[in-house]
Amino acid sequence: MSLVCLADFRAHAQELLCKSTWDFIDGGADDSVTRDENIAAFKRIRLRPRFLRDVSEVDTRTTIQGQEISAPICIAPTGFHCLTWPDGEMSTARAAQTADICYVTSTYASCTLEDIVSAAPRGLRWFQLYAQPDRLLNKQLIQRAESLGYKALVITVDVPVPGNRRRDVRNNLDLKANLLLKDLRSPKERYSTPHLQMTPIDPSMCWNDLSWFQSITQLPIILKGILTKEDAELAVRHNVQGIIVSNHGGRQLDGVAASIDALTEVVSAVAGKVEVYLDGGIRTGNDVLKALALGAKCVFVGRPILWGLAYKGEHGVQKVLNILKKEFHTSMSLTGCRSVAEINRNLVQFPRL
Amino acid sequence: MSLVCLADFRAHAQELLCKSTWDFIDGGADDSVTRDENIAAFKRIRLRPRFLRDVSEVDTRTTIQGQEISAPICIAPTGFHCLTWPDGEMSTARAAQTADICYVTSTYASCTLEDIVSAAPRGLRWFQLYAQPDRLLNKQLIQRAESLGYKALVITVDVPVPGNRRRDVRNNLDLKANLLLKDLRSPKERYSTPHLQMTPIDPSMCWNDLSWFQSITQLPIILKGILTKEDAELAVRHNVQGIIVSNHGGRQLDGVAASIDALTEVVSAVAGKVEVYLDGGIRTGNDVLKALALGAKCVFVGRPILWGLAYKGEHGVQKVLNILKKEFHTSMSLTGCRSVAEINRNLVQFPRL
Amino acid sequence: MSLVCLADFRAHAQELLCKSTWDFIDGGADDSVTRDENIAAFKRIRLRPRFLRDVSEVDTRTTIQGQEISAPICIAPTGFHCLTWPDGEMSTARAAQTADICYVTSTYASCTLEDIVSAAPRGLRWFQLYAQPDRLLNKQLIQRAESLGYKALVITVDVPVPGNRRRDVRNNLDLKANLLLKDLRSPKERYSTPHLQMTPIDPSMCWNDLSWFQSITQLPIILKGILTKEDAELAVRHNVQGIIVSNHGGRQLDGVAASIDALTEVVSAVAGKVEVYLDGGIRTGNDVLKALALGAKCVFVGRPILWGLAYKGEHGVQKVLNILKKEFHTSMSLTGCRSVAEINRNLVQFPRL
Amino acid sequence: MSLVCLADFRAHAQELLCKSTWDFIDGGADDSVTRDENIAAFKRIRLRPRFLRDVSEVDTRTTIQGQEISAPICIAPTGFHCLTWPDGEMSTARAAQTADICYVTSTYASCTLEDIVSAAPRGLRWFQLYAQPDRLLNKQLIQRAESLGYKALVITVDVPVPGNRRRDVRNNLDLKANLLLKDLRSPKERYSTPHLQMTPIDPSMCWNDLSWFQSITQLPIILKGILTKEDAELAVRHNVQGIIVSNHGGRQLDGVAASIDALTEVVSAVAGKVEVYLDGGIRTGNDVLKALALGAKCVFVGRPILWGLAYKGEHGVQKVLNILKKEFHTSMSLTGCRSVAEINRNLVQFPRL
């Protein structure tokens, strides 16, 4: 079967991967209400296309944190890429570099940051941090990333404790999986035998701790997982440089709003003071357009990247990104947007139901 | 099985046609959300019938652009009728002439305009244009149509680039199909071996280009594909004579409103200055009544005509049109409307949900 | 299987009856949207029960047009009862008399009015009229019914032309069915061989004709099929004594509101000047309670009576009526209503959706 | 299969139990609309999580009627536990004591109150009363419970008559079941052969009777089954100490609101004067959090306790309670609530639909 849309890659990955890996990637927390809402909420939004505007030239380029990317479609941090392709994040990084977009490397990458950078030295990359209870380990990780050329620090705020993913519990994931987590080991251990190691996350982290992070790095700090205006205002007040509106793909707290439904509240609250991004539920170019129309500066894509990896490693990820970028280009053409700057709130409406 | 409603013709056509042709006709863009919404939105609207009004005589006649038609039910432009019946648009034209309604011939007709006119010389016809990058070709096409007795020029605005129809991509439609497109070839080529030729459309066309079209033809100009009040106001300001509210049967930009849901916005914006028509989702006489109650002067029917062609050519199209006209007559009788002029906004409501 | 609710009788009847009869009874017009909405709309309404009110004695009795009935649950006019049970309406009439409720005999009864009255001489009955083009025939029918002790004349307004019931068209119902329509024949013909005869209905009847009906009978006149405030106001102005809010079980114009959704509009418009009744979608005692809370004086039940007839004739109808009356008694007890007079608008709400 | 959420226990119980017992436990009244709404309504509510708040210590403890419990998750009164596990309520009581939460013993317990207390002497327990027509029997029951250390009297108000549960009628439950109801017999009969005995309930009980109950016991009185502001205000005026918002698991009056949808109305009406609790539809820790955010002081769980009993008696109930408590702990952590006092109305919203 030819793979012509991201949903095709999902079906293909489900066939290729073993059940416990598929469940780990695909599962949501509890009843997966929010995971499914992420998709459904996009479908409820209607586009308002404008015509006769000369779209012979459409430019999808934009910037995030001052860096140009070829389209507002980047790679969200997800862990353990070696579960789906042998050299894991190295393939992901190469595909991102080719596509000229940003790849956010996860704390739970199965390759070392050094290997990832070597694989694609010219790519734009951000580093995502799960704050560890050991402050020194945080400092080492962040400064290592900074010195390797990572351009921003993404701190995930929605995992003070792990979400309740039933399929992983049923699969007894801790025992069976064979995950690599080299970055969180000491240099000595880093190249030892791989094994599963989801290190404890620091549940005590709070707003006041942000100043410590700001003191140890020059990187812009972006909070990932903000869903309310109250937290968005606190983020601005604590001088972060960006917010990723995200519900962790529905994997943390079930029953929260779809990320696209939470976006408007956060965008209003920050009032343009920092860049706002979104992940969760992006499956077509129209979804990208809707997110930008509602105020996102760019979107991040999670699970579809893993589907691409499972399909054909670097080339699979490239194919996923190319489809999404091509669809987004078509979406812009069909709504009369010649540049990303022309995408605005008038392009969308919520339907009468 | 007897065919008693348009849905029966759909089921029948799906059995008769080869997969790639069926997919080409039936498919929508991307996830086909809008294609399905076109149908669902009609079902959400409620009729408010009036009784005891003497409906012993019900007259379905009306006019479009000053020409009388037997009912406000005409044939939307669709391409490649030879895919579903050997002599294609010639059968369609004959059925339209018998039904005394308007047939809009597509730029992508598989028969020549001359053959279509010869087949049904007394029928009311409009010509639909996909603007070509070559201005001369546009001029030749339009003037040829005008001299053949076509009564209006319908310019499609919602295809600056082709929509993303996954089923056609999967079927590799470009290679397998065997489509006839005689009108877009030079006179010499016109009768050569048929082959698929979807000529490039002009993505640069914009509002200012309308005056050029107005300078080369006396025909009233009707824009097809307008979905917003902003574009409707621009259309009026650029002196067009009509608007067809349409989302191209859900085949261009997925995620736009159902055409019946966009109708009210456009009707309000034009404030009676030009005639407004609708296509998309018409499957019963009640749908026709709802569209007229919300302000459409007439409706255009697309896919069901192809289902009729596939069934029995001219006689199949006649049967489809007769069912729809008869149903519309019944709808008028059961709501107390003795003439099309009596159909008004009070006949419909949107349900409490 | 024991039959414990009306839905059980439906399933049973579907097994017992031949396809064309089942389709005739069960079918709705066009897509059957309204037929299904009649059921769904009841399910969307929420009850607000009141407790601790001493419901040791609950009285379901009420009156319609001044006549006492044992519960506000009566039998709607439906035609051709001999299709489902040999002696047809005679069984229906006996069950209604036993239940002490009103039975509305249809113009399309398969038994004569005389036989129906003989079968159950003490029952309360109303006569439903499909106005015939021949005024004399109307006069004879009405005066015959009046002299036989019928207590009201129900004039159906929503059939100026027959609805479009696809299943009947597919089944070629006119030819195959073997229906009895004795009342519409001359006395001489009345006892001749039965055959299908749906006589033409008068589509020209209008508001001004009501005075003629009022001039030939002393019976209160009730209009069946009113769905809008405009028609409800006209009905009051033309001095009718009652309105049955009805969409003909979804068999006439598809796409109108569920009858329970139209009830409030009609009740508001008549402002207590005449009694308002409802049919369409009543399947449980809670449905009866909801209809009364929204202003209906009583409800009429159509298809479930035919299911009861199909099950066991008179005893089947009795069982259907007993279940519904018992459920309604329970509904009153569980909402703290000791008499029908205590049922009011505060008992219901429409849910937040 | 490992049992990782309450839904797993339901599936397991359905396999283990005989059909008539399963139907008795699982069934709702009439069409079970309200039973299913109890679940669906929770899924429609969205959580608004707050992050970066130091949730290294999360305390789920709270109090009801002044008594501390380990979490706001208690056991609702349900009858006939011996149907699902040999020593029935004795196992339930032991599990509740271990979990340090409150167990509300039903009038329809299949074990005697004395046996239940002996089984778990240190547990917090309330006694639920179905008021009997015989006042003396009520007095004996209540005073026996009080002397055995029960801490509150829960009077069920929503069963003036039994609900209409079709599956039980179909199963002819009265004849087949083998239920134990020792408490409602005289001391002499109490240990005789068990048999089904659902004693008649007093339908005449009304608000004025509450003073008699208050005169014979020192226990706080809690009304179970209130769903409207009107009844909530009457409850406060009659000096009760608490209200359980409940629709009896959808087993009494079908068509009432989901209990979580009725909660807000009741909470507003009582304005903090008495504690308000909720049962109905609690299946996850998020549901508990939503109920508390909307004003419940604690929730009661019904059917899942029976599923736990069916699985492994005392240990099954413990497992159910542990899962729910653990999930609730996670829900608090992921919304930034460090204590039950921090759970408030800002944590929830109803989605735009």
Side-chain angles (χ1 to χ4, degrees):
Chain A
M1 188 184 75
S2 58
L3 305 180
V4 307
C5 60
L6 271 52
D8 290 347
F9 282 83
R10 182 179 186 275
H12 201 69
Q14 185 165 16
E15 278 177 27
L16 286 173
L17 297 173
C18 71
K19 185 176 182 308
S20 68
T21 298
W22 173 253
D23 282 351
F24 172 66
I25 291 173
D26 193 56
D30 293 323
D31 294 313
S32 295
V33 169
T34 292
R35 182 198 62 174
D36 296 342
E37 262 290 287
N38 276 350
I39 308 286
F42 272 111
K43 291 208 202 303
R44 287 194 294 259
I45 300 172
R46 297 281 164 265
L47 289 168
R48 301 181 71 250
R50 303 295 306 276
F51 297 110
L52 293 175
R53 301 184 108 184
D54 185 358
V55 290
S56 51
E57 310 230 344
V58 164
D59 186 349
T60 64
R61 279 177 304 171
T62 188
T63 62
I64 50 173
Q65 300 295 327
Q67 308 273 327
E68 188 175 291
I69 48 181
S70 67
I73 299 165
C74 298
I75 298 182
T78 54
F80 314 116
H81 289 195
C82 285
L83 283 173
T84 45
W85 192 254
D87 74 353
E89 287 80 4
M90 295 170 70
S91 280
T92 311
R94 281 189 289 260
Q97 177 176 282
T98 302
D100 196 14
I101 48 96
C102 178
Y103 159 42
V104 187
T105 307
S106 168
T107 299
Y108 290 162
S110 35
C111 302
T112 64
L113 297 180
E114 287 76 8
D115 288 345
I116 293 168
V117 171
S118 307
R122 298 180 319 282
L124 173 61
R125 270 181 294 273
W126 293 357
F127 176 68
Q128 176 271 343
L129 179 77
Y130 286 119
Q132 307 294 315
D134 175 358
R135 285 227 164 172
L136 184 59
L137 183 52
N138 286 322
K139 188 174 176 182
Q140 289 170 344
L141 269 171
I142 293 165
Q143 295 184 341
R144 206 167 119 222
E146 188 168 0
S147 70
L148 284 164
Y150 279 79
K151 297 298 183 198
L153 173 63
V154 176
I155 300 179
T156 296
V157 301
D158 60 3
V159 190
V161 300
N164 180 40
R165 296 170 209 160
R166 295 174 185 168
R167 287 151 79 176
D168 293 350
V169 181
R170 281 203 188 94
N171 292 330
N172 225 346
L173 189 69
D174 288 347
L175 304 177
K176 289 182 194 161
N178 184 21
L179 307 177
L180 311 165
L181 266 183
K182 294 176 180 164
D183 281 326
L184 293 175
R185 305 182 212 162
S186 65
K188 204 172 62 184
E189 294 174 316
R190 204 169 287 160
Y191 298 97
S192 62
T193 316
H195 65 285
L196 175 70
Q197 176 84 16
M198 299 245 295
T199 59
I201 298 161
D202 183 359
S204 74
M205 187 179 165
C206 62
W207 288 103
N208 288 336
D209 295 322
L210 285 178
S211 57
W212 179 81
F213 287 95
Q214 288 159 333
S215 75
I216 61 156
T217 184
Q218 299 297 315
L219 295 178
I221 288 179
I222 290 153
L223 298 186
K224 174 170 177 286
I226 300 291
L227 288 170
T228 61
K229 62 172 184 284
E230 294 91 334
D231 279 352
E233 284 162 7
L234 283 168
V236 171
R237 205 175 313 151
H238 285 83
N239 301 312
V240 304
Q241 275 78 18
I243 288 173
I244 303 181
V245 173
S246 167
N247 51 40
H248 217 110
R251 296 162 75 81
Q252 281 296 110
L253 182 67
D254 196 30
V256 303
S259 51
I260 190 67
D261 282 340
L263 178 63
T264 305
E265 176 175 335
V266 171
V267 165
S268 293
V270 307
K273 287 177 202 131
V274 303
E275 294 186 349
V276 178
Y277 319 104
L278 172 138
D279 74 21
I282 298 286
R283 297 293 177 269
T284 67
N286 286 339
D287 297 339
V288 181
L289 186 70
K290 289 171 181 176
L292 265 68
L294 289 166
K297 183 74 176 163
C298 104
V299 304
F300 291 90
V301 181
R303 290 183 182 93
I305 299 302
L306 300 175
W307 306 336
L309 269 181
Y311 172 57
K312 272 193 185 171
E314 175 186 349
H315 298 291
V317 175
Q318 268 182 35
K319 204 165 170 191
V320 163
L321 289 171
N322 284 343
I323 286 175
L324 206 48
K325 286 169 74 173
K326 182 156 180 284
E327 286 181 356
F328 176 60
H329 192 281
T330 298
S331 303
M332 286 181 68
S333 302
L334 291 178
T335 51
C337 298
R338 286 150 297 195
S339 70
V340 166
E342 289 188 349
I343 301 172
N344 64 49
R345 185 62 181 76
N346 289 329
L347 283 179
V348 292
Q349 64 185 347
F350 294 87
R352 174 171 48 193
L353 269 182
Chain B
M1 187 183 76
S2 57
L3 305 179
V4 307
C5 60
L6 271 53
D8 290 347
F9 282 83
R10 182 179 187 275
H12 202 69
Q14 185 166 15
E15 279 178 25
L16 286 173
L17 297 172
C18 72
K19 184 176 182 307
S20 68
T21 298
W22 173 253
D23 282 352
F24 173 66
I25 292 172
D26 193 57
D30 292 323
D31 293 313
S32 294
V33 169
T34 293
R35 182 197 60 174
D36 296 341
E37 262 290 288
N38 276 349
I39 309 286
F42 272 111
K43 292 208 202 300
R44 286 194 295 259
I45 300 171
R46 296 281 165 266
L47 290 167
R48 301 182 71 249
R50 303 294 305 277
F51 297 110
L52 293 176
R53 301 184 108 183
D54 186 357
V55 290
S56 51
E57 311 230 344
V58 164
D59 186 350
T60 64
R61 280 177 303 170
T62 188
T63 63
I64 51 173
Q65 300 296 325
Q67 309 273 328
E68 188 175 293
I69 48 179
S70 67
I73 299 165
C74 298
I75 298 182
T78 54
F80 314 114
H81 290 196
C82 286
L83 282 173
T84 45
W85 192 254
D87 74 353
E89 287 81 3
M90 295 169 70
S91 281
T92 311
R94 282 190 289 260
Q97 177 177 282
T98 303
D100 196 14
I101 50 94
C102 179
Y103 159 42
V104 187
T105 308
S106 169
T107 299
Y108 288 162
S110 34
C111 302
T112 64
L113 297 180
E114 288 75 8
D115 288 345
I116 293 169
V117 171
S118 306
R122 297 181 318 282
L124 173 63
R125 270 181 295 272
W126 293 358
F127 177 69
Q128 176 270 343
L129 179 75
Y130 286 120
Q132 306 294 314
D134 175 357
R135 283 227 164 174
L136 185 60
L137 183 51
N138 287 321
K139 188 174 175 183
Q140 289 169 344
L141 269 172
I142 293 166
Q143 295 184 342
R144 206 168 118 223
E146 188 167 1
S147 70
L148 283 164
Y150 279 79
K151 298 297 183 200
L153 174 63
V154 175
I155 300 179
T156 297
V157 301
D158 59 2
V159 191
V161 300
N164 179 40
R165 297 171 209 159
R166 296 174 184 168
R167 287 152 78 177
D168 293 350
V169 181
R170 281 204 187 93
N171 292 330
N172 225 345
L173 189 70
D174 289 347
L175 303 176
K176 289 183 195 162
N178 183 23
L179 306 178
L180 311 167
L181 265 182
K182 294 177 180 163
D183 281 326
L184 292 175
R185 303 181 213 162
S186 67
K188 207 173 59 184
E189 293 174 317
R190 204 170 288 159
Y191 298 97
S192 62
T193 318
H195 66 283
L196 175 71
Q197 175 82 18
M198 299 244 297
T199 59
I201 298 161
D202 184 359
S204 74
M205 186 178 165
C206 61
W207 288 104
N208 289 336
D209 295 321
L210 285 177
S211 56
W212 178 81
F213 287 95
Q214 288 160 334
S215 75
I216 61 155
T217 184
Q218 301 295 317
L219 296 178
I221 290 180
I222 290 153
L223 298 186
K224 174 170 177 285
I226 300 292
L227 288 170
T228 62
K229 62 171 183 286
E230 294 91 334
D231 278 352
E233 285 162 6
L234 283 167
V236 171
R237 205 176 312 153
H238 285 83
N239 301 310
V240 305
Q241 276 76 18
I243 288 171
I244 304 181
V245 173
S246 168
N247 51 41
H248 218 109
R251 296 161 75 80
Q252 281 296 110
L253 182 66
D254 197 30
V256 302
S259 52
I260 190 68
D261 282 341
L263 179 62
T264 305
E265 176 175 335
V266 171
V267 166
S268 293
V270 306
K273 286 177 203 132
V274 303
E275 294 187 349
V276 178
Y277 318 104
L278 172 138
D279 75 19
I282 298 286
R283 297 294 178 267
T284 67
N286 286 338
D287 297 339
V288 181
L289 186 71
K290 288 170 181 176
L292 266 68
L294 289 166
K297 182 73 176 164
C298 101
V299 303
F300 291 91
V301 181
R303 290 183 182 92
I305 299 301
L306 301 175
W307 305 336
L309 269 181
Y311 172 57
K312 272 192 186 172
E314 175 186 350
H315 298 292
V317 176
Q318 270 182 34
K319 203 164 170 192
V320 164
L321 290 170
N322 285 344
I323 286 174
L324 206 47
K325 286 169 74 173
K326 182 156 181 283
E327 286 181 357
F328 177 60
H329 192 281
T330 297
S331 303
M332 286 182 69
S333 302
L334 292 178
T335 50
C337 297
R338 286 149 298 194
S339 70
V340 166
E342 289 188 350
I343 301 172
N344 64 49
R345 184 65 182 74
N346 288 329
L347 284 180
V348 293
Q349 65 185 347
F350 294 86
R352 174 171 47 195
L353 268 182
Chain C
M1 187 183 77
S2 57
L3 306 179
V4 307
C5 61
L6 270 53
D8 290 347
F9 282 82
R10 182 178 186 276
H12 202 69
Q14 186 166 15
E15 280 178 25
L16 287 173
L17 297 172
C18 72
K19 184 175 182 308
S20 68
T21 298
W22 173 252
D23 282 352
F24 173 65
I25 290 172
D26 194 57
D30 291 323
D31 293 313
S32 296
V33 169
T34 293
R35 182 198 61 173
D36 295 342
E37 263 289 288
N38 276 349
I39 309 286
F42 272 111
K43 293 210 202 299
R44 287 194 294 261
I45 300 171
R46 296 281 165 268
L47 289 167
R48 302 182 70 249
R50 303 294 306 279
F51 296 110
L52 293 176
R53 300 184 107 183
D54 185 357
V55 290
S56 51
E57 310 229 345
V58 164
D59 186 350
T60 64
R61 280 177 303 170
T62 187
T63 63
I64 52 174
Q65 299 296 325
Q67 308 273 328
E68 188 173 293
I69 47 180
S70 67
I73 300 165
C74 297
I75 299 181
T78 54
F80 313 115
H81 290 195
C82 286
L83 283 173
T84 44
W85 191 255
D87 74 353
E89 287 81 2
M90 295 169 70
S91 280
T92 312
R94 282 189 289 260
Q97 178 177 280
T98 303
D100 196 13
I101 50 96
C102 178
Y103 159 42
V104 187
T105 307
S106 168
T107 299
Y108 288 162
S110 34
C111 301
T112 63
L113 298 180
E114 288 76 9
D115 287 346
I116 293 169
V117 171
S118 306
R122 296 179 321 279
L124 174 62
R125 270 180 295 271
W126 293 356
F127 177 68
Q128 176 270 344
L129 179 75
Y130 284 120
Q132 306 294 316
D134 177 356
R135 284 226 163 174
L136 184 60
L137 184 52
N138 286 322
K139 187 173 175 182
Q140 288 170 345
L141 270 172
I142 293 166
Q143 294 184 341
R144 207 169 116 219
E146 187 168 0
S147 70
L148 283 165
Y150 279 80
K151 297 298 184 200
L153 173 63
V154 176
I155 300 179
T156 297
V157 301
D158 59 3
V159 191
V161 299
N164 180 40
R165 296 171 208 158
R166 295 174 184 167
R167 287 151 79 175
D168 294 350
V169 180
R170 282 205 186 93
N171 292 331
N172 225 346
L173 190 70
D174 290 346
L175 304 176
K176 289 183 194 160
N178 184 22
L179 306 177
L180 310 166
L181 266 182
K182 293 177 180 163
D183 282 326
L184 292 175
R185 303 183 213 161
S186 65
K188 205 171 61 182
E189 293 174 318
R190 204 169 288 159
Y191 297 98
S192 61
T193 317
H195 65 284
L196 176 70
Q197 176 83 17
M198 298 246 295
T199 60
I201 298 160
D202 184 0
S204 74
M205 188 179 164
C206 62
W207 289 104
N208 288 336
D209 294 322
L210 284 177
S211 57
W212 179 81
F213 287 95
Q214 288 160 335
S215 74
I216 61 156
T217 183
Q218 300 296 317
L219 295 178
I221 289 180
I222 290 154
L223 297 186
K224 174 169 176 287
I226 300 291
L227 288 170
T228 62
K229 62 171 183 284
E230 294 91 335
D231 279 352
E233 284 162 6
L234 282 168
V236 170
R237 204 176 313 151
H238 284 83
N239 301 310
V240 306
Q241 276 78 19
I243 288 172
I244 304 181
V245 173
S246 168
N247 50 40
H248 217 110
R251 296 162 74 82
Q252 281 296 109
L253 182 67
D254 197 29
V256 302
S259 51
I260 190 67
D261 282 341
L263 178 64
T264 305
E265 176 175 333
V266 171
V267 165
S268 293
V270 307
K273 288 179 201 127
V274 303
E275 293 186 349
V276 177
Y277 318 104
L278 172 138
D279 74 20
I282 297 287
R283 296 295 178 267
T284 67
N286 287 339
D287 297 338
V288 181
L289 186 71
K290 288 170 181 177
L292 266 68
L294 288 166
K297 183 73 176 165
C298 101
V299 302
F300 291 90
V301 181
R303 289 183 182 93
I305 299 301
L306 301 175
W307 305 336
L309 269 182
Y311 172 56
K312 273 192 187 173
E314 175 186 348
H315 298 292
V317 176
Q318 269 180 35
K319 203 163 171 193
V320 164
L321 289 171
N322 284 344
I323 286 173
L324 206 48
K325 287 169 74 173
K326 181 155 181 285
E327 286 181 357
F328 177 60
H329 191 281
T330 298
S331 302
M332 287 183 68
S333 302
L334 291 178
T335 51
C337 298
R338 287 149 298 194
S339 70
V340 166
E342 288 188 350
I343 300 172
N344 64 49
R345 185 64 182 75
N346 289 329
L347 283 180
V348 292
Q349 65 185 348
F350 294 87
R352 175 171 46 195
L353 268 181
Chain D
M1 188 184 76
S2 57
L3 305 181
V4 307
C5 60
L6 270 53
D8 290 346
F9 282 84
R10 181 178 185 277
H12 202 68
Q14 186 165 14
E15 279 178 27
L16 285 174
L17 296 173
C18 71
K19 184 175 182 309
S20 68
T21 298
W22 173 253
D23 282 351
F24 173 66
I25 291 173
D26 193 57
D30 291 324
D31 293 313
S32 296
V33 170
T34 293
R35 182 198 61 172
D36 296 341
E37 263 289 288
N38 275 350
I39 309 287
F42 272 111
K43 292 209 201 302
R44 287 194 294 260
I45 300 171
R46 296 281 165 268
L47 289 167
R48 302 182 70 250
R50 303 294 307 277
F51 296 110
L52 294 176
R53 301 184 108 182
D54 184 357
V55 290
S56 51
E57 309 230 343
V58 164
D59 185 350
T60 63
R61 280 176 303 170
T62 188
T63 63
I64 51 173
Q65 300 295 328
Q67 309 273 326
E68 188 173 291
I69 47 180
S70 67
I73 299 166
C74 297
I75 298 182
T78 54
F80 313 116
H81 290 196
C82 286
L83 283 173
T84 44
W85 192 255
D87 73 353
E89 287 82 2
M90 295 170 68
S91 280
T92 312
R94 282 188 290 260
Q97 178 177 282
T98 303
D100 196 14
I101 49 96
C102 178
Y103 160 41
V104 187
T105 307
S106 168
T107 299
Y108 289 162
S110 34
C111 302
T112 64
L113 297 180
E114 286 76 8
D115 287 344
I116 293 169
V117 172
S118 306
R122 297 179 320 281
L124 173 63
R125 269 181 295 271
W126 293 357
F127 176 68
Q128 176 271 343
L129 179 76
Y130 285 120
Q132 306 294 315
D134 176 356
R135 285 226 163 173
L136 184 59
L137 183 52
N138 286 322
K139 187 173 175 183
Q140 289 169 345
L141 271 171
I142 293 166
Q143 294 183 343
R144 207 169 117 221
E146 188 168 1
S147 70
L148 283 164
Y150 279 80
K151 297 298 183 199
L153 173 64
V154 175
I155 300 179
T156 296
V157 301
D158 60 3
V159 191
V161 299
N164 179 40
R165 297 172 208 159
R166 295 173 185 168
R167 287 152 79 176
D168 293 351
V169 180
R170 281 203 188 93
N171 291 331
N172 225 345
L173 190 70
D174 289 347
L175 304 175
K176 289 183 193 162
N178 184 23
L179 306 178
L180 310 166
L181 266 182
K182 293 177 180 165
D183 281 326
L184 292 175
R185 304 182 212 161
S186 65
K188 204 172 63 184
E189 294 175 316
R190 203 169 289 159
Y191 296 99
S192 62
T193 317
H195 66 283
L196 175 70
Q197 176 83 16
M198 299 242 298
T199 59
I201 298 160
D202 184 359
S204 73
M205 187 177 164
C206 63
W207 289 104
N208 288 336
D209 294 322
L210 284 178
S211 57
W212 178 80
F213 287 95
Q214 288 160 332
S215 75
I216 62 156
T217 183
Q218 300 297 316
L219 295 179
I221 289 179
I222 290 154
L223 297 186
K224 174 170 176 286
I226 300 291
L227 288 170
T228 62
K229 62 172 183 283
E230 294 91 333
D231 279 352
E233 284 162 6
L234 282 168
V236 170
R237 204 175 313 151
H238 284 83
N239 300 309
V240 305
Q241 275 78 18
I243 288 173
I244 303 179
V245 173
S246 168
N247 51 40
H248 217 110
R251 298 162 73 82
Q252 281 296 110
L253 182 67
D254 197 28
V256 303
S259 51
I260 190 68
D261 281 341
L263 178 63
T264 306
E265 177 175 334
V266 170
V267 166
S268 293
V270 307
K273 288 177 201 131
V274 304
E275 293 186 350
V276 177
Y277 318 104
L278 173 138
D279 75 21
I282 298 286
R283 296 294 177 269
T284 67
N286 287 339
D287 297 338
V288 180
L289 186 70
K290 288 171 181 176
L292 266 68
L294 288 166
K297 183 72 175 164
C298 102
V299 303
F300 291 90
V301 181
R303 289 183 182 92
I305 298 302
L306 300 175
W307 305 336
L309 269 181
Y311 172 57
K312 273 192 186 171
E314 175 186 350
H315 298 291
V317 176
Q318 268 181 36
K319 203 164 170 192
V320 164
L321 289 171
N322 285 343
I323 286 174
L324 206 48
K325 286 169 75 173
K326 182 154 180 287
E327 286 181 357
F328 176 61
H329 191 281
T330 298
S331 303
M332 287 182 68
S333 302
L334 291 178
T335 51
C337 298
R338 287 149 297 195
S339 70
V340 166
E342 288 188 350
I343 301 172
N344 64 49
R345 183 65 182 73
N346 288 330
L347 284 179
V348 291
Q349 65 184 347
F350 294 87
R352 175 171 47 194
L353 269 181

